[in-house]
Amino acid sequence: MTRAKRKWEHIKYALLETETNSHGFSDVSFIHQSLPDIALKDVSLNHHVGELSLSSPIFINAMTGGGGSRTTDINGQLAIIAREMGLAMAVGSQMAALKDFNERKSYQIVRKENPFGIIYANLGSEATVDQAKMAVEMVEANALQIHLNVVQEITMPEGDRDFSGALSRIERIVKSLNIPVIVKEVGFGMSRETVLKLKSIGVSVIDVGGFGGTNFASIENARRDDTLSFFNDWGIPTTISIVEAKSISPSLAIFASGGINNSLDIVKSIALGADAVGMAGFFLKQILESGIEETLVKTRKLHDDIKYMMLALGACNINALQTVPLIVSGYTHHWLNERGID
Ligand code: FNR
C-alpha cells in the first residue's frame, strides 16, 4: 500500500471512530465555588509555556500532510482555523516530505495560511538531527513534536519492529535544536516512567496523547484481516496520563490530548495540571463534516465556554485554573492510588 493511500485511510477510519468515553473525564468533578470574586473581563486564556506564548489553551494536534491535494486542502483549512482563532497547530509527520520534495506543499501551506501563528513540526522517534532540522525549517516551526507510536507501528503489518535507540536519538535532537521539543504519544498515553526518561534527557514539554479518543490500534486493525485486537483496549486513559506526567515535576509542561472534544474536558485537563490541550479527531471531523465557518463558530464557543467555567471557578488565568480543587473518583482514583500518586 502506498503511503498516500495509508494516510487517506487513516483519515477515513478516524472519522468512523466512535467516542469510547474511556479517557476518564467522567471521574473528575469540580467543587463549586459560590464566591469566585472575579469578573468575566478578568479571565484570560493567554499562557506562556517556556518560550511559547499561547493565546488559547487549545491547539490542533498533528494529523496530516503528504498524500496529495486532499490532505493539502485539509491542512490549509485547519491552518485558517488556527489563524482565525489564535490556536497553535501541529502538522502531521513530515518524514514523507523529507524523502520526497513533491510532498512538501501539503505541509508548507500551513505556514503560508498562517504566517505569524505558532506551528509545531512533527517527526517520529526514528528521526535524525538533520531530519529534525529540515522538518523545522520546512514549516518555520516554533517547536518540534516527536511522536511515539509503538502500538500503532506493531499493529500495522508494514510497521516498525525495532524501537531501540529512540531515547538517545531524541536526546541528540533536544540538544541540537534551539526551539522546544515536545514528545507526544498518539492515543496510548504516557506513564510516569516514560516521562521520567524523557525529562532526564532534557525534554521540556510532554503531550500525553492519552487513551480514550482516536484509537490507532482499532484503526489499523480495521485495515487488516489478521487483527491484533488485544491492542484495541491498550493504553493509559488521558486523565490518568496527565496526572502521571505532572507528578514527575511541576516544572515540566504538560499538553493534554486524547479524546478531548468539549470545553468541560478542556477545563478538567487544565485543572489536572495541563498547560494546553490538543485536539486532533475533533478538528478533523468538524472540518470535513461542517466546513470552516461552522468550525470557527464551534471553536469560538469553546473559548467562551472555557471562560465561563473559569469565571465560576474563580480562576482568572490558566495558572490559577491549574490549582483549583478537584474530586477524582472511580477508575482514575483507583489507578492513581495504586501508583501512589496524589
Ligand atoms: C493522527 N495523529 C498523528 N500524530 C502524530 O504525531 N503524527 C501524525 O502524523 C499523526 N497522524 C494522524 C492522522 C490522523 C488522521 C489522526 C486522527 C491522528 C495522532 C494525533 O495527533 C493525536 O495524538 C491522536 O489522534 C489522539 O488525539 P484525538 O484525536 O483523540 O484528539
Side-chain angles (χ1 to χ4, degrees):
M1 168 168 309
T2 63
R3 195 195 299 266
K5 180 142 189 276
R6 189 172 73 224
K7 287 192 180 203
W8 190 250
E9 283 204 2
H10 283 167
I11 291 173
K12 215 172 67 188
Y13 283 102
L15 289 174
L16 296 176
E17 282 268 293
T18 47
E19 181 77 24
T20 59
N21 218 21
S22 39
H23 41 44
F25 286 106
S26 56
D27 289 341
V28 179
S29 306
F30 288 115
I31 302 166
H32 171 63
Q33 306 297 337
S34 305
L35 290 168
D37 202 25
I38 57 168
L40 183 60
K41 66 176 173 44
D42 302 327
V43 176
S44 164
L45 299 182
N46 296 333
H47 188 54
H48 286 273
V49 176
E51 66 204 57
L52 299 172
S53 180
L54 307 175
S55 55
S56 166
I58 302 171
F59 68 98
I60 301 175
N61 219 345
M63 275 180 286
T64 192
S69 61
R70 285 189 291 193
T71 48
T72 307
D73 281 354
I74 294 174
N75 268 350
Q77 293 181 51
L78 291 171
I80 291 169
I81 302 295
R83 180 188 72 210
E84 295 302 307
M85 299 310 302
L87 315 183
M89 172 176 168
V91 296
S93 178
Q94 292 163 268
M95 197 50 99
L98 294 180
K99 294 178 177 160
D100 178 355
F101 200 83
N102 295 323
E103 301 259 5
R104 295 191 178 187
K105 197 173 152 219
S106 63
Y107 299 91
Q108 287 170 328
I109 191 163
V110 171
R111 180 50 88 196
K112 202 169 147 215
E113 291 288 4
N114 192 11
F116 308 111
I118 294 184
I119 293 176
Y120 306 144
N122 186 290
L123 284 175
S125 59
E126 73 281 13
T128 63
V129 169
D130 283 346
Q131 287 172 330
K133 286 182 176 167
M134 283 190 278
V136 167
E137 201 186 324
M138 193 190 304
V139 293
E140 298 164 54
N142 306 82
L144 169 69
Q145 288 186 329
I146 297 182
H147 63 260
L148 306 177
N149 66 338
V150 170
V151 172
Q152 181 189 5
E153 292 291 340
I154 300 175
T155 318
M156 273 195 280
E158 71 274 32
D160 278 354
R161 295 291 181 266
D162 180 357
F163 304 102
S164 49
L167 193 65
S168 47
R169 280 191 297 278
I170 297 172
E171 181 173 19
R172 283 195 285 278
I173 291 172
V174 170
K175 294 204 159 56
S176 310
L177 291 193
N178 54 9
I179 55 170
V181 173
I182 303 161
V183 179
K184 75 181 285 274
E185 251 289 352
V186 300
F188 300 94
M190 271 198 238
S191 67
R192 60 182 301 182
E193 292 81 359
T194 302
V195 176
L196 194 56
K197 285 182 192 168
L198 293 169
K199 182 167 188 295
S200 76
I201 57 157
V203 172
S204 57
V205 188
I206 301 290
D207 175 346
V208 299
F211 183 76
T214 303
N215 183 333
F216 271 101
S218 321
I219 290 175
E220 299 298 350
N221 277 326
R223 297 172 56 234
R224 61 185 282 173
D225 297 328
D226 178 21
T227 69
L228 306 185
S229 56
F230 43 84
F231 280 137
N232 289 352
D233 296 316
W234 190 284
I236 307 174
T238 301
T239 50
I240 292 172
S241 197
I242 298 168
V243 182
E244 290 236 354
K246 196 72 194 176
S247 73
I248 294 300
S249 162
S251 68
L252 200 57
I254 305 300
F255 290 177
S257 70
I260 299 175
N261 291 320
N262 62 57
S263 52
L264 179 59
D265 292 349
I266 293 171
V267 175
K268 286 181 179 179
S269 297
I270 299 168
L272 285 169
D275 289 278
V277 175
M279 300 161 90
F282 171 83
F283 281 109
L284 185 68
K285 282 184 192 154
Q286 289 303 320
I287 278 289
L288 291 180
E289 289 168 8
S290 315
I292 291 188
E293 288 310 318
E294 208 170 304
T295 307
L296 284 173
V297 169
K298 289 223 170 101
T299 312
R300 206 165 286 124
K301 169 112 171 82
L302 286 176
H303 281 162
D304 289 346
D305 290 353
I306 294 167
K307 285 187 176 175
Y308 286 131
M309 282 183 263
M310 289 172 72
L311 175 62
L313 290 163
C316 56
N317 55 39
I318 299 295
N319 282 329
L321 182 56
Q322 286 172 316
T323 61
V324 301
L326 288 171
I327 298 293
V328 176
S329 61
Y331 184 61
T332 306
H333 177 264
H334 175 76
W335 177 301
L336 296 174
N337 199 36
E338 285 287 303
R339 297 273 279 165
I341 301 171
D342 283 335

